[in-house]
Amino acid sequence: MMRRLWARITGGKQKAHMTPLQPDQLAQMVSMVAATRPDEIGCDACYEQLDRFADLHLAGKNASDAMPLVQDHLDRCAECREEFEALLAALKAEVESA
């Protein structure tokens, strides 16, 4: 998770040595850390539950109420949200072609 956080802050640029954070980078990091919750899930746990979350969504059920930790993670993590949107699009296309 910290690697992803660092990549988001630095724009994905990896350096052989650490450079001091710019004030805006530090503020962004502090903001992200402050927004964490004690019951949130990480990317791996979210990814493992995406298929069930998508199935609920496609069935017209409130996936957010049924799986609030997944919804919270998707609200916070652009990478997992992109994975979910791609999965949802693939599942919709499969249903439409059947």
Side-chain angles (χ1 to χ4, degrees):
M1 185 84 162
M2 285 304 290
R3 223 177 297 137
R4 287 184 186 202
L5 176 62
W6 183 254
R8 285 176 56 189
I9 292 169
T10 62
K13 298 174 185 165
Q14 296 290 329
K15 296 188 178 189
H17 63 282
M18 298 290 281
T19 58
L21 290 175
Q22 297 299 314
D24 61 323
Q25 292 173 320
L26 182 58
Q28 183 180 8
M29 182 177 277
V30 168
S31 174
M32 294 170 107
V33 169
T36 60
R37 298 173 22 169
D39 61 344
E40 69 183 30
I41 60 173
C43 294
D44 291 339
C46 181
Y47 187 77
E48 289 174 7
Q49 300 177 54
L50 277 185
D51 57 341
R52 183 169 163 242
F53 191 83
D55 287 342
L56 289 170
H57 185 80
L58 289 174
K61 297 180 181 174
N62 192 330
S64 299
D65 285 347
M67 303 175 74
L69 295 179
V70 173
Q71 182 62 60
D72 181 63
H73 186 84
L74 293 175
D75 291 342
R76 296 170 186 265
C77 180
E79 290 178 34
C80 288
R81 187 172 46 255
E82 287 175 16
E83 288 288 330
F84 170 67
E85 290 170 359
L87 174 61
L88 200 57
L91 291 172
K92 283 180 182 179
E94 183 178 295
V95 168
E96 291 172 359
S97 69

